[in-house]
Amino acid sequence: MIAANLENIHARIAAAARAAGRAPADVTLIAVSKTHPRAAVLAALAAGQAVFGENKVQEAEAKFPIPGAKLHLIGALQTNKAAQAVRIADAIDSLDRARLSDAIEKAAAAAGRLPELLVQVNIGDEPQKAGVPLAAADGFIKASRARFGAALKGLMCIPPEGVDPLPYFRRLAAMADVHGLAVRSMGMSGDFEIAIAAGATHVRVGSAIFGARPARDSGSALLNLT
Ligand SMILES: *Cc1c(COP(=O)(O)O)cnc(C)c1O
C-alpha cells in the first residue's frame, strides 16, 4: 500500500508541476512518517522514498538514523531538544525564534555538525501556531542568514485551515524570493498541488502515503510548544 500510495503522490506531484510550467524534479517529496512505525519508513525507503519528516525529536530518534534516509524535523522544536535535534536531523524546518537559534548554534558547535535550516513563518499570523510572526519575519530571516550562512536554505509554512491556502502559499514564495532563498516547504496531503502551483520546492505529505493517524496526534505539530 505504501509503495502504491507513493507512486500515486509522485504522479500527482509531476502533474501539478507540469501544469505550473515547472519540472517535476524541482519538487521534493518529504514523506511525513510521524506516528507510524519504523517498519513503515523502511517500506517507503524500499519503494525509493529517501526523504522523511518527523515532528517529535524523541519519536524521530527511535526510528532514525536509517542508512539512505534523510530526516527533516518539521514540528515545533523546544530549545531543550535542540541538541538532540542537531545530532539526528539532516534538516530542521521549524526555526522560528532567537532563543531556538541560540540553542541550535550552541548545539551545532558542540556536535560539529549543523543541519540545514528553514525558517517557519506563521503565514496566517495565527496565535495558536508556531512560526515567526509576519511582522518579525523579514528581520528574523536576515538575522538567521547572518548567523547560519548557507545552512539557511529557505522557508516553511502551514496555512490556516478551512480557507483557500493559495494566497498564503504565494505570500511565502514571495518572501523567499525577496530573501533569495531557494527552498519553500509548503503543502500537505490536502493541498500539495495548490502549493506546487504557488512554487513549493518541498511538499510534506503524511496521511496520503502512510494512512490516517490517531486523531489526538493530528494537531500537535501545529501547536506552539514554548
Ligand atoms: C503532520 C504534518 C504534515 C503532514 O500532514 P498530512 O496532512 O498527513 O499530509 C505536514 N507538515 C507538518 C508540519 C506536519 O506536522
Side-chain angles (χ1 to χ4, degrees), residues 32 34 74 156 158 188-189 204-207 213 221:
V32 179
K34 66 187 186 197
I74 62 174
M156 182 271 231
I158 304 168
M188 321 201 327
S189 290
R204 308 177 307 268
V205 178
S207 47
R213 291 179 297 271

Side-chain angles (χ1 to χ4, degrees), residues 30-34 36 53-55 73-76 93-94 120 156-158 185 187-192 203-213 217-222:
I30 301 175
V32 179
S33 48
K34 66 187 186 197
H36 295 281
E54 290 280 345
N55 70 335
L73 288 174
I74 62 174
D93 298 1
S94 51
Q120 180 175 355
M156 182 271 231
C157 78
I158 304 168
S185 174
M188 321 201 327
S189 290
D191 57 15
F192 68 86
V203 294
R204 308 177 307 268
V205 178
S207 47
I209 297 171
F210 295 107
R213 291 179 297 271
D217 281 327
S218 62
S220 60
L222 310 182

Side-chain angles (χ1 to χ4, degrees), residues 80-94:
N80 64 7
K81 301 268 170 62
Q84 255 176 305
V86 162
R87 256 200 331 272
I88 66 169
D90 297 291
I92 296 172
D93 298 1
S94 51

